[in-house]
């Protein structure tokens, strides 16, 4: 994924969290890693920070320092009701979902 695919990254993160919740499991952190998403670690941190700030994700702790932000307890991350609603109802998320279906047909594992 390219760095400018913000909503695709948000979709993948929320979708992974929602699937984990539906199956009563913790999220597989490798599924939302910077390596899998092919993005810079700082970019991923800023997206996760925004997801927490907007109430879409819970269970992680954001720490801010003079050198930047870092996150603890990533494996405890969970989607909120607001996050599920955003994932299911947001028109941008629907567009991303449809686009990723096409990409998934071409590139399994996304």
């Amino acid at each position: 994924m390219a760095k400018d695919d913000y909503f695709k990254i948000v979709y993948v993160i929320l979708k992974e969290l929602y699937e984990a919740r539906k199956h009563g499991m913790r999220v597989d952190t490798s599924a939302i890693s910077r390596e899998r998403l092919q993005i810079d670690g700082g970019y991923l941190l800023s997206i996760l920070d925004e997801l927490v700030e907007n109430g879409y994700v819970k269970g992680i702790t954001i720490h801010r320092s003079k050198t930047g932000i870092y996150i603890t307890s990533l494996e405890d991350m969970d989607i909120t009701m607001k996050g599920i609603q955003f994932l299911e109802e947001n028109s941008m998320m629907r567009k991303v979902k449809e686009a990723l279906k096409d990409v998934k047909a071409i590139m399994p594992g996304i």
Side-chain angles (χ1 to χ4, degrees):
M1 275 180 225
K3 287 186 178 185
D4 59 349
D5 291 335
Y6 178 86
F7 287 105
K8 289 180 185 174
I9 295 165
V10 168
Y11 176 82
V12 169
I13 293 169
L14 293 178
K15 183 69 173 168
E16 289 291 338
L17 291 171
Y18 189 36
E19 290 300 317
R21 176 181 264 202
K22 287 193 294 188
H23 294 97
M25 301 172 65
R26 289 177 133 184
V27 68
D28 175 6
T29 56
S30 67
I32 56 171
S33 68
R34 66 176 207 78
E35 293 83 11
R36 176 173 181 246
L37 298 171
Q38 299 175 6
I39 60 173
D40 179 75
Y43 188 49
L44 177 58
L45 287 175
S46 71
I47 291 172
L48 291 173
D49 185 33
E50 290 174 356
L51 289 173
V52 170
E53 291 265 330
N54 287 297
Y56 300 135
V57 170
K58 65 180 180 178
I60 59 175
T61 305
I62 311 280
H63 300 277
R64 289 174 176 73
S65 69
K66 292 180 182 179
T67 58
I69 63 172
Y70 65 96
I71 296 175
T72 57
S73 65
L74 194 60
E75 60 277 348
D76 293 330
M77 186 168 39
D78 194 13
I79 191 168
T80 64
M81 184 179 355
K82 186 176 179 181
I84 295 168
Q85 184 177 5
F86 179 76
L87 184 64
E88 297 295 322
E89 295 178 0
N90 185 286
S91 64
M92 179 61 80
M93 291 296 106
R94 280 197 298 276
K95 289 177 188 175
V96 169
K97 181 178 180 180
E98 293 304 314
L100 285 179
K101 281 183 186 177
D102 295 336
V103 171
K104 195 171 194 169
I106 298 168
M107 299 175 57
I110 295 287

